[in-house]
Amino acid sequence: MCMYSRGMSVAIQIKDVPEEVRDAIAARAAARGQSTQVYLRGLLEREFQAERNRHLLESLVGHRTLKMSPDEVVDDIRAGREGDDE
């Protein structure tokens, strides 16, 4: 899922990056067959998603409302899947 495709993309410039950091990032990108830009964009997107997920989980603390047993959950999922086949 590409987060930047939802709207206008922006350019980010980072100054004063040590050469050894730049070289390590470039090497990691190359090892994955990616450009440095694509590799760094992926890092930024994963960081964004992790932070968003952390906030979501924190907002759910104390809101557990599921009163079904694991077996009931499985049965409910299976019933839903069987209904999709019709």
Side-chain angles (χ1 to χ4, degrees):
M1 175 165 107
C2 293
M3 303 308 293
Y4 62 90
S5 64
R6 290 188 181 169
M8 299 230 7
S9 61
V10 298
I12 297 175
Q13 182 179 21
I14 302 173
K15 297 181 179 184
D16 300 322
V17 176
E19 283 186 47
E20 67 255 12
V21 172
R22 182 207 57 207
D23 293 346
I25 289 171
R28 289 178 188 171
R32 289 171 172 77
Q34 298 175 321
S35 67
T36 302
Q37 177 179 327
V38 169
Y39 176 77
L40 288 172
R41 184 173 52 230
L43 284 177
L44 291 171
E45 288 174 351
R46 285 189 299 278
E47 180 64 22
F48 164 76
Q49 291 166 354
E51 183 69 13
R52 182 189 61 196
N53 291 346
R54 186 180 66 77
H55 285 292
L56 175 63
L57 290 173
E58 286 175 356
S59 73
L60 295 174
V61 170
H63 290 91
R64 295 179 67 179
T65 59
L66 184 62
K67 303 211 184 301
M68 298 170 70
S69 72
D71 290 334
E72 290 172 319
V73 171
V74 170
D75 291 342
D76 200 39
I77 291 170
R78 286 185 178 148
R81 288 179 180 164
E82 290 170 2
D84 289 344
D85 292 338
E86 297 174 359

